[in-house]
Amino acid sequence: MLDLGRLRALHAVSVHGTIGAAATALGYTPSAVSQQIAKLERETRTTLLERRGRGIRLTDEAHQLALTAQELMSIVEAAEVRLEERRGEPAGRLAVACFASAARGLMPRVLADLADRHPALDIRMQEIDPHLSIDLVARGAVDLAVAHDWDIAPLPTPPGLEQAVIGTDLCDLLVPAEHRLTAAGSVRREELGGERWISQPPGTVCHDWLMRTLRAAGHEPLIAHLAEEHQTQVALVAAGLGIALVPRLGRGALPPEVRAVRLDPVPSRRLRALWRAGAARRPAITETVRTLRHAWPRSAAER
């Protein structure tokens, strides 16, 4: 009989692409994941992973087995949901994927609150961009995603997922203190032509929004610097190297070299929680979502 833990390890490798990333998602060491895969290969008498340069590739047999593993994990999840629902208390492990600024500005309070009130609940959080985290929920790699999308760039939701809105995060245009735009009470998007921008890397939700917004206003964006962390973007603005559009959540206090200017209309992004429909009745899911929504007004007021 195939071991479910080893199948779970193979499924994690198929979803995350590397043994190291799979180990991080599962809370194991890379060597432990490798050992699980090696044992599964011996059990099935099948080669599952092939070396390709410095990386690995799943064989066709491994892809088929990973699909079977996902089906089995869905069955196990349904059984766990029923048991947890009967107990009526949040319990067990809950894997949460969350984008960076929410992980910094919202999740610490939420995680501490849940740990204090529900000691049987073991939440494991990892920072993942919404472009990836929603797919990970759909594929069963994580249980819950805290994601965001922008007013003009909504993220598609795969079938089989449910969601709840957590709150709306407003964004400011950050400019150096001596910049020409600091004299304006507010700035329209059409006035931003010719500026040097500091942005998150391509493929992120924030970068895509910035490109769409400026092009819609008739400007081809000049991206001078790319930085994933908003604090890094603020530091680059403070050094006079460009301007940036930065959400308020998790941003922290601005240094004296940086000014926040209101952009008209004010850009906003919607925070939402997403989970699989089959786990909708799980108390760990419902209580985590409730706590997220309860914590949002306080987090928003502190910005």
Side-chain angles (χ1 to χ4, degrees):
M1 182 177 294
L2 297 176
D3 182 88
L4 182 61
R6 294 164 193 165
L7 289 172
R8 191 186 298 273
L10 177 64
H11 178 261
V13 173
S14 74
V15 169
H16 296 282
T18 67
I19 288 177
T24 299
L26 294 171
Y28 300 156
T29 63
S31 61
V33 173
S34 295
Q35 290 173 14
Q36 292 288 331
I37 302 297
K39 290 177 181 178
L40 187 58
E41 287 184 321
R42 290 196 294 270
E43 285 180 348
T44 59
R45 300 177 184 177
T46 304
T47 299
L48 300 175
L49 299 183
E50 295 177 343
R51 291 289 175 185
R52 174 173 288 181
R54 295 184 178 181
I56 57 170
R57 184 186 74 85
L58 271 69
T59 63
D60 292 342
E61 292 80 5
H63 281 294
Q64 290 300 316
L65 200 54
L67 290 174
T68 301
Q70 184 168 337
E71 294 172 1
L72 291 174
M73 288 162 57
S74 296
I75 295 172
V76 171
E77 180 180 60
E80 291 173 341
V81 168
R82 286 193 291 269
L83 286 174
E84 191 177 323
E85 191 178 17
R86 285 180 63 86
R87 297 189 189 104
E89 288 291 332
R93 179 176 292 189
L94 188 74
V96 177
C98 182
F99 65 96
S101 53
R104 181 172 56 252
L106 176 63
M107 292 304 294
R109 175 178 294 126
V110 170
L111 295 174
D113 184 12
L114 289 168
D116 181 60
R117 293 186 294 110
H118 304 290
L121 179 60
D122 179 17
I123 298 184
R124 306 292 180 91
M125 186 195 75
Q126 52 185 316
E127 285 188 12
I128 300 178
D129 191 75
H131 275 309
L132 302 175
S133 64
I134 295 177
D135 182 60
L136 292 179
V137 175
R139 297 173 66 178
V142 297
D143 302 304
L144 181 75
V146 178
H148 70 81
D149 55 8
W150 292 74
D151 45 6
I152 68 167
L155 278 176
T157 302
L161 297 189
E162 296 186 8
Q163 62 178 295
V165 174
I166 299 171
T168 300
D169 187 24
L170 302 181
C171 306
D172 297 308
L173 182 67
L174 302 187
V175 303
E178 304 301 322
H179 195 278
R180 64 178 180 86
L181 294 176
T182 58
S186 64
V187 178
R188 297 193 61 81
R189 298 170 186 182
E190 292 77 11
E191 301 175 55
L192 297 175
E195 295 291 340
R196 293 171 62 86
W197 286 88
I198 299 161
S199 169
Q200 286 194 322
T204 61
V205 178
C206 293
H207 182 273
D208 291 350
W209 184 93
L210 180 63
M211 300 298 284
R212 290 190 193 187
T213 299
L214 294 181
R215 285 171 178 165
H219 307 303
E220 183 58 31
L222 194 169
I223 306 298
H225 304 287
L226 297 172
E228 290 189 0
E229 289 292 330
H230 288 146
Q231 288 97 331
T232 304
Q233 295 177 28
V234 172
L236 292 170
V237 173
L241 298 173
I243 67 175
L245 188 68
V246 180
R248 296 177 183 176
L249 176 64
R251 188 177 70 196
L254 296 176
E257 301 86 358
V258 176
R259 298 286 188 272
V261 178
R262 183 180 183 274
L263 198 57
D264 183 22
V266 178
S268 65
R269 58 180 184 172
R270 180 183 61 169
L271 272 68
R272 49 187 175 134
L274 301 100
W275 60 92
R276 290 181 296 282
R281 299 191 314 275
R282 184 182 175 191
I285 295 285
T286 57
E287 180 61 13
T288 299
V289 172
R290 188 195 70 79
T291 305
L292 283 164
R293 300 181 77 175
H294 178 74
W296 177 254
R298 181 178 172 187
S299 298
E302 292 174 350
R303 290 179 275 137

